[in-house]
């Protein structure tokens, strides 16, 4: 049942992270198993995709099955007009649009089982835009995932919109404005040390973007914790490099998100630090 904004107390907050968003699938499974409830879902970038599927009522097992079946051609295709410099991006999310039309049982905000907020960046105003309550779901999801330069902007209500992570990768303030006092979160932008020398301009851009998002993320967490907001945060340890559209490690990412969410939340309940993983980072059980 859709909960009114004034009654929201706990929010599931899902950030960006490309293919590392598979961790959110394991996170979702764990919090459901732990019996943790939420009144609101807030998502940006790949978090908008997962958040929409969760808010539509997709159970954890079904979401995991969907992710495990994903391959790059299911999500993106070459944008030939973009390669000619005509549309602002050399990839297109046309395959993902088609997939969402197939798998989403609900395609409008007002019909969702849980209230949802999707963040995009308005290129004309330079401000974050929060899509909620009414209207089409699919175009805001695509816009929220559209990394500038790699994907063309999405036109919504007469303006171009791109990745929500540009201005608000973790929309704390929007959740708090809805009356939320507790946030359930997982970080997918953790940037472990990587000794690999990068030469591709796109890989350099993506790595730099992820580093910036991670730094801003941690700063925001610290700031809001100091204001008395209860933030239950999971930062999974996954040392292997994962490309933006690299779906080869989905199983391992889901598993580490699930395993470390269980450890973190059980530790929070017992007021102690979670135990160290007995396996090397990034290796599933």
């Amino acid at each position: 049942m859709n909960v009114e904004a004034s009654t929201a107390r706990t929010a599931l907050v899902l950030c960006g992270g490309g293919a590392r968003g598979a961790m959110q699938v394991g996170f979702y499974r764990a919090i459901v198993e732990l019996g943790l409830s939420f009144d609101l879902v807030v998502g940006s970038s790949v978090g908008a995709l997962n958040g929409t599927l969760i808010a539509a009522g997709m159970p954890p097992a079904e979401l995991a099955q969907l992710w495990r079946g994903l391959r790059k051609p299911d999500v993106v295709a070459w944008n030939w007009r973009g390669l000619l410099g005509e549309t602002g991006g050399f990839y297109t999310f046309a395959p993902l649009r088609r997939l969402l039309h197939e798998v989403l049982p609900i395609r409008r905000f007002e019909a969702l089982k849980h209230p949802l907020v999707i963040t995009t960046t308005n290129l004309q105003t330079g401000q974050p835009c929060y899509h909620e309550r009414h209207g089409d779901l699919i175009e805001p999801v695509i816009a929220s995932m559209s990394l500038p330069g790699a994907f063309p902007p999405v036109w919504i209500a007469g303006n171009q919109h791109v990745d929500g992570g540009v201005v608000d990768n973790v929309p704390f303030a929007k959740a708090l404005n809805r009356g939320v006092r507790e946030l359930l979160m997982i970080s997918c932008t953790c940037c472990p040390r990587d000794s690999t020398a990068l030469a591709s301009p796109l890989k350099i851009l993506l790595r730099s973007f992820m580093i910036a998002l991670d730094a801003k993320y941690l700063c925001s967490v610290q700031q809001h914790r100091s204001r008395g907001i209860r933030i239950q945060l999971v930062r999974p340890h996954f040392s292997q490099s994962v490309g933006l559209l690299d779906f080869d490690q989905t199983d391992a990412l889901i598993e580490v998100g699930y395993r470390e969410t269980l450890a973190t939340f059980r530790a929070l309940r017992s007021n102690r630090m979670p135990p160290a993983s007995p396996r090397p980072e990034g290796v599933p059980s």
Side-chain angles (χ1 to χ4, degrees):
M1 183 175 65
N2 207 313
V3 181
E4 290 299 319
S6 59
T7 65
R9 290 294 176 266
T10 301
L12 185 66
V13 181
L14 303 172
C15 67
R20 293 174 72 98
M23 292 179 177
Q24 295 171 355
V25 180
F27 174 75
Y28 176 43
R29 174 189 167 193
I31 65 171
V32 169
E33 287 186 8
L34 291 167
L36 299 173
S37 62
F38 49 89
D39 309 302
L40 174 69
V41 182
V42 183
S44 183
S45 201
V46 73
L49 172 64
N50 283 327
T52 297
L53 295 167
I54 291 169
M58 185 173 284
E62 191 174 332
L63 183 58
Q65 182 180 14
L66 176 65
W67 266 87
R68 289 187 175 110
L70 286 180
R71 296 299 179 264
K72 188 175 177 180
D74 301 317
V75 179
V76 303
W78 287 111
N79 180 14
W80 301 112
R81 291 181 60 198
L83 291 171
L84 295 173
E86 296 178 5
T87 61
F90 46 84
Y91 283 125
T92 171
F93 274 126
L96 180 61
R97 273 191 180 91
R98 289 193 294 270
L99 181 64
L100 287 174
H101 277 285
E102 291 173 9
V103 303
L104 257 182
I106 295 168
R107 297 178 191 168
R108 295 189 63 83
F109 279 91
E110 55 266 38
L112 290 169
K113 295 186 177 180
H114 300 282
L116 171 71
V117 178
I118 293 174
T119 305
T120 63
T121 300
N122 186 318
L123 280 183
Q124 276 63 54
T125 66
Q127 298 297 313
C129 185
Y130 302 103
H131 307 264
E132 54 185 322
R133 294 190 174 91
H134 303 286
D136 171 70
L137 279 167
I138 292 179
E139 290 309 294
V141 170
I142 298 297
S144 189
M145 296 178 67
S146 294
L147 183 70
F151 298 91
V154 176
W155 287 91
I156 299 176
N159 287 295
Q160 293 171 298
H161 291 253
V162 295
D163 198 315
V166 172
V167 286
D168 201 1
N169 190 48
V170 188
F172 290 100
K174 185 61 181 177
L176 300 181
N177 288 343
R178 297 281 293 259
V180 168
R181 303 304 298 170
E182 180 178 25
L183 306 175
L184 308 179
M185 304 171 58
I186 183 170
S187 173
C188 297
T189 57
C190 306
C191 288
R193 291 181 180 273
D194 188 346
S195 59
T196 306
L198 302 177
S200 160
L202 179 60
K203 289 184 178 180
I204 292 170
L205 171 64
L206 292 176
R207 172 73 177 174
S208 301
F209 189 57
M210 298 293 276
I211 290 170
L213 291 181
D214 202 33
K216 184 179 178 182
Y217 183 96
L218 291 174
C219 181
S220 296
V221 167
Q222 194 171 38
Q223 178 186 21
H224 285 87
R225 274 180 172 160
S226 69
R227 295 178 179 176
I229 306 302
R230 189 181 182 199
I231 300 176
Q232 302 204 50
L233 171 64
V234 181
R235 283 181 62 81
H237 300 89
F238 195 87
S239 58
Q240 298 178 35
S241 177
V242 181
L244 181 73
L245 297 169
D246 176 9
F247 297 102
D248 291 338
Q249 300 184 74
T250 295
D251 275 328
L253 289 164
I254 292 175
E255 177 62 24
V256 77
Y258 171 72
R259 187 179 67 239
E260 296 202 19
T261 298
L262 288 179
T264 298
F265 278 78
R266 285 168 177 165
L268 287 170
R269 286 180 171 182
S270 60
N271 248 341
R272 60 180 176 80
M273 292 298 291
S277 172
R279 291 170 292 277
E281 292 182 350
V283 178
S285 58

